[in-house]
Every structure is written in C-alpha cells, then in structure tokens.
Amino acid sequence: MEQPLTPRVDQPLKPRRRHKAKSRVQQQTTSKPAPQKTQNPQPSPLTPPPSSSSPPLPSPADAPVPEPRPAAAAKMEEQKTAVPKTDGPKTDGPKTDTTSDQFNQEKSRQKKQARPEPSAPEPPADTESEPEPPADVPTPTPKPDIEEPETQPPAIAPQPPPKPADAGDKKMLPDPRSADLPDAKMPAEEVACRERLKALGVEFDEHKAESNPEIGCSIPYPIVIKTLNKSVAIGPATELNCSMAEAAARFTTDVIQPAAKAEFSTEVKSISQASAFVCRPRHGTGKLSEHAFGNALDIGSFTLSDGKKIEIGPTPPEKDAKFLNAVRKAACGPFKTVLGPGADADHALHFHFDLEPRKHGGTFCQ
C-alpha cells in the first residue's frame, strides 16, 4: 500500500485554508453561537482517512516533493496561519500540531512569569495625599503654672479726685472800680457830663449810689435815662453811669438815626434795652462784667416811626440785616467792646456795647 502524504506541517499551505480561518474569526466576532466541540473531531481534509474504497494515491516518485524549509521559517508560517485565540467558545477546526501547541504554551507560561503577582488593592488617588492619623495623638505642651490675674470689680468704687475748696465758689478777680464810693460832694467831671447830656436832649433822673462789697459791683453816681435824644426813647428804665449814657446818646444821634433814614426812609422812634446795670460776673469767668459798673448797654430791638420793629437775631430779613450790620460795624470805635449774633450763644439775640478800658485804647469787636 502506498504511503500517505507527508504531515500537514511539511506541506505548503493553500490559500483556501487561510480564507477559512479568517471566516471563522469573523463568525466569532459577530457573536453567533458556534457548534459545540465534539468528542471525535472530523479528520482534516488534507489527510483523508485510509479506506479500501478510495482511489490509489500517486506514488511518491510521481508527487512533487517540496523543498525543505528551515525549522524557524516553518514555525513562523505556523504562527501566521494559526487561528487567533478568542474568549468565545471553541469551534471545530483543523487541529494544530504538537509543535504549535508547545510554542503557545511556552509563550503563555513566560507571560505568566513576567506578570507580577496580584497584590492588595491600592487606595484611590485622592486618598493617597491624606496623611494617616498617628497612632498616638500628640498632646499640647503644658503651660507654665502661672495663674493669670482675674478681672474682678474693685471692693470699693473709685472716687473722683476731690475738687479744690474754692472750685464751687469762684471769687471775683479784684477790680479797682469795686472800691469806688460816692463823695459827699459830686465831682466836677460828673457835673460836666450831665451838662453835656442835657445839651444832647437826653432826659434822665439821678439815682442813689449802689455797691456790693461781696461781689465787687459799684456805681457811685448812677443816672436813669429815659431818652437818648429829643426824639428817641429808651426803656425800660436804663441805669448807667454818665459816661456810658453820653456814649449811647451820641451814637444814636450820629449813627443809628442816619442808618434808619438810609435804609427805611424814616427815623428810629425807640430802642428796647435788654440789660444795663446788673451786679454780676461775666458768664463762665471770675471777672466782673461791665454791667456791674453801669458801663455796658444791651440793645434788643429798634422801633421805627412807622411802627416797624427790627429784632436782633441770627437771620433777620434782608433789609433789617443791612441796617443792623451797619449799626454793628459803626459801633466798633465809639465802644471798646461790640458783640452780637455769631459771637457766642449769650449774645445771639442782642447787641452788647461797653466802654471797658483796654490797653492802648484798643477794641474787641465780634
């Protein structure tokens, strides 16, 4: 009987077999169920089973003998033609030879050796940066045993510093005029002053002397004037010394009347005084006021011949303000002190004129 063909390894592969392998791979990727592997696979078509009824094969002398190939080239050819390994169920196909199986087993064994053994699962990336809490919690450094003083209210409430003995009772600063007392006979200068008042048309009455040794007030030759000239009355009763009365009378005739005629085209009929002789000190000081000597006059308002009344205040009407400003400005000179609205709170509603003696004949006007 003739010998069968050489094993499949030594024969050249036909293209038909590679096409079958590719078709089987495509069938596996389409997830089609494949037939289960049977216990007795069918023989390869290249190696027909021996049968008595098969026709006789040609003798080896007639069959073409392939050229011998190197063993390495045969192995590479087998790797190319091998069916790729998939995870699907095995299908019936041509069996590979023992050499190919050994090569695949050796390759898988090397991969298993190169693959590191599975270790414990690594923590997520976001938890690796967090430090693990120490086994022993560190305790803070103990503070030195120094007790801080506790804030407690004092046993006795603090008392304000004692005031000076004379703080409540301010003594008046000495003023040489406080010692003035009337003489048995009126001095000549006082007589001459009264003659000038009569010439100006001032009506007045003599008044008895007044003094207060405890405070220091003194007016030895006072008069009570009723008019400042023949046409301008003043009231209520205004007690002044003769020098202050004469200065007020002259100022009324020389300044007040012309200013009223210029602004209102009429004359001043009367003047309302707010203060004349008053035995008191200056507000907030230990110095006696000029009122304590009858040497000051406060004017609260003017009344014109047509009955119009001009009040002294912070915001008078425009025409009234113009008249009042002219009077106030002209008063600085004939009088040594001039105060009014804006100077301080005490003089917000009246003009203050006085003849306080100052060094070098100076004036104080606000």
Side-chain angles (χ1 to χ4, degrees), residues 25-285:
V25 173
Q26 292 176 359
Q27 291 176 3
Q28 291 177 3
T29 55
T30 55
S31 302
K32 292 184 179 180
Q36 299 293 330
K37 185 177 181 181
T38 58
Q39 294 294 331
N40 298 320
Q42 295 180 0
S44 174
L46 297 179
T47 56
S51 176
S52 58
S53 61
S54 60
L57 298 174
S59 63
D62 298 334
V65 179
E67 295 180 0
R69 292 183 298 174
K75 290 182 180 182
M76 291 178 65
E77 186 68 23
E78 290 176 1
Q79 292 177 8
K80 290 180 181 180
T81 58
V83 179
K85 187 178 180 180
T86 62
D87 295 335
K90 295 181 180 180
T91 58
D92 294 337
K95 292 184 179 180
T96 57
D97 59 353
T98 308
T99 307
S100 177
D101 293 341
Q102 291 179 357
F103 177 79
N104 291 334
Q105 291 178 1
E106 180 65 19
K107 188 175 181 180
S108 62
R109 185 178 63 79
Q110 292 178 359
K111 288 183 178 180
K112 288 182 180 180
Q113 291 179 358
R115 184 184 304 165
E117 295 183 0
S119 58
E122 296 181 358
D126 57 348
T127 60
E128 289 180 359
S129 59
E130 298 181 0
E132 296 183 359
D136 298 333
V137 179
T139 57
T141 306
K143 295 182 179 180
D145 298 334
I146 299 177
E147 296 183 358
E148 296 182 358
E150 297 181 359
T151 305
Q152 296 181 355
I156 301 174
Q159 301 294 329
K163 295 181 179 180
D166 57 347
D169 301 330
K170 288 186 177 180
K171 294 182 179 181
M172 297 299 100
L173 296 175
D175 192 305
R177 294 174 294 178
S178 298
D180 291 346
L181 294 174
D183 296 335
K185 186 179 179 180
M186 184 180 290
E189 58 187 31
E190 289 290 333
V191 174
C193 178
R194 283 160 173 77
E195 293 295 330
R196 292 191 297 269
L197 287 176
K198 292 176 182 178
L200 292 171
V202 177
E203 295 182 9
F204 62 92
D205 292 332
E206 297 287 347
H207 199 276
K208 65 178 181 178
E210 295 191 41
S211 66
N212 187 331
E214 293 182 3
I215 300 176
C217 305
S218 177
I219 181 170
Y221 306 103
I223 60 175
V224 178
I225 60 176
K226 299 177 182 179
T227 64
L228 290 168
N229 56 29
K230 294 179 180 181
S231 59
V232 181
I234 187 170
T238 305
E239 185 177 0
L240 298 171
N241 62 41
C242 190
S243 297
M244 184 63 195
E246 183 181 2
R250 293 188 182 278
F251 183 73
T252 300
T253 302
D254 298 341
V255 175
I256 295 177
Q257 284 288 36
K261 289 180 180 180
E263 192 63 37
F264 304 107
S265 302
T266 187
E267 295 181 351
V268 174
K269 181 179 180 180
S270 66
I271 295 175
S272 175
Q273 62 90 7
S275 179
F277 170 75
V278 179
C279 188
R280 64 173 177 82
R282 293 181 180 178
H283 292 295
T285 67

Side-chain angles (χ1 to χ4, degrees), residues 228 234 248 251-252 256 271-275 297-302 312 327 349-353:
L228 290 168
I234 187 170
F251 183 73
T252 300
I256 295 177
I271 295 175
S272 175
Q273 62 90 7
S275 179
L297 175 66
D298 292 347
I299 298 175
S301 64
F302 302 89
I312 298 174
V327 172
L349 301 177
H350 66 271
F351 287 155
H352 171 89
F353 302 150

